Amino acid sequence: MAKAPTVYDVAERAGVSIASVSRVLRSPDSVKEQTRERVLEAVRHLGYVPSANARGLAARRTNVIGLFFPGHDDVAGSEGQLVAASGGVTTVRDDPTTEPETNNFYFDEVLRGAEIEAWRRGFALMVAAGRGASREAIVNDIAGRVDGLAVLARTVPDELLTHVARRIPVVVLAATRGTDAFDHVSVNNAPGMRAMTEHVLKAGARSLLYIAGPEDSPDDAERLQGFRAALDGNAEVAVELVRGDFSRGRGREIALGIDPLPDAIVCSNDQTALGVLDAMGRRSISVPDDVMVTGFDGIAAGRHSSPRLTTVHQPMVELGRAAIQALTARLDDPSMDARSLVLPVQVVLRESCP
């Protein structure tokens, strides 16, 4: 078997320094195009593959960042054979009012932002998910493989994050910083929901149903705070609160049973609001003529619903990017004070609320 080419072979063929080869392989956009092309041509010609282990030993880094999301507590059909190996073809009738409960467009967008920023900074991204008792084992395992870890707020106990933070930087997503020592990246939840609720009141609503999210969600707690702040001094407004779970299915279930209808249904996220629109369509109730509906998140599906969803748009892609930026900043300066970054939001007016 031929001897594997080394970084020295690549540098010699390209006529550049070893440092230049490393920069091209880690952060190609930071190198002049002519130099980059020479190095990449040498890599292709020689069949060179960088050794992650050797690179990590030299720099005492893995050049990998971890991202931990919550798993699903109950995924229908998750046990047994995944797909029948018959190679057959079937025809089914699609029900537009249902969707797989595993869809989470919020996580998709945050993940996309994290991938973009990790690539820009020369890091690979390791994504993990866990639920229940498996979380501690998974978080400990991924922490031993990465240079830093970003986690969604309240998906991992603080004592476990404190343990992990003794080894690597930790950034918490979707919660403003309290008394902990972690860096936090979140969005302007309370002011955003307050502005949305004030818009609904200005549109003439005098009875509101608020469909909240899970009780353990920091995002939901802040949005509920903003909703209540908008109602201060409005004693003539009738308000009811129902607890949802951020899913389209639960939003649909709640809305199918609403009687009498309020003037407006304010939802703590877009998935819930899309479920409400499903139910209103099934009940032949006109939105916004009979009831106004609003959401929060700004997922793409809200632009294509019928009617299109009025919502508070949060920069989900930028949230993922900001988490990676915070981790790399912490890697460069471990001694800096813990920071809390709050990203702005936008109230986006569409047809579901005039």
Side-chain angles (χ1 to χ4, degrees), residues 14 16 20-21 24 31-40:
V16 299
S20 294
V21 174
V24 169
V31 182
K32 292 181 180 179
E33 183 178 1
Q34 184 178 10
T35 302
R36 183 171 68 239
E37 288 305 315
R38 288 209 314 273
V39 171
L40 293 177

Side-chain angles (χ1 to χ4, degrees), residues 46-63:
L46 296 171
Y48 172 69
V49 177
S51 169
N53 289 337
R55 196 166 58 223
L57 287 171
R60 294 190 177 181
R61 287 191 183 181
T62 64
N63 279 351

Side-chain angles (χ1 to χ4, degrees), residues 124-183:
L125 189 67
M126 179 183 292
V127 183
R131 59 186 174 93
S134 70
R135 287 180 303 178
E136 182 168 355
I138 292 172
V139 169
N140 270 319
D141 182 59
I142 192 175
R145 302 167 181 258
V146 299
D147 294 328
L149 181 64
V151 301
L152 194 69
R154 297 194 188 174
T155 58
V156 178
D158 283 351
E159 57 269 22
L160 177 54
L161 288 184
T162 301
H163 170 71
V164 170
R166 295 193 186 105
R167 292 179 283 163
I168 58 173
V170 170
V171 169
V172 178
L173 286 159
T176 53
R177 184 168 173 266
T179 58
D180 61 65
F182 313 125
D183 294 317

Side-chain angles (χ1 to χ4, degrees), residues 121 183 323-334 336 339:
R121 293 172 179 268
D183 294 317
I324 303 302
Q325 291 171 5
L327 282 172
T328 56
R330 178 65 58 186
L331 285 168
D332 292 338
D333 185 3
M336 68 180 180
R339 300 185 301 172

Side-chain angles (χ1 to χ4, degrees), residues 197 200-201 205-210 227 231 237-240 262 264 266:
T197 306
V200 170
L201 296 174
R206 287 299 172 263
S207 58
L208 305 181
L209 171 65
Y210 184 81
F227 174 77
L231 295 170
V237 178
V239 178
E240 182 181 358
V266 179

Side-chain angles (χ1 to χ4, degrees), residues 189-198 210 220-232:
N189 282 300
M193 184 58 82
R194 177 171 184 165
M196 174 58 78
T197 306
E198 289 172 346
Y210 184 81
D220 182 71
E222 293 173 5
R223 292 171 196 176
L224 181 56
Q225 178 186 1
F227 174 77
R228 286 172 169 157
L231 295 170
D232 283 350

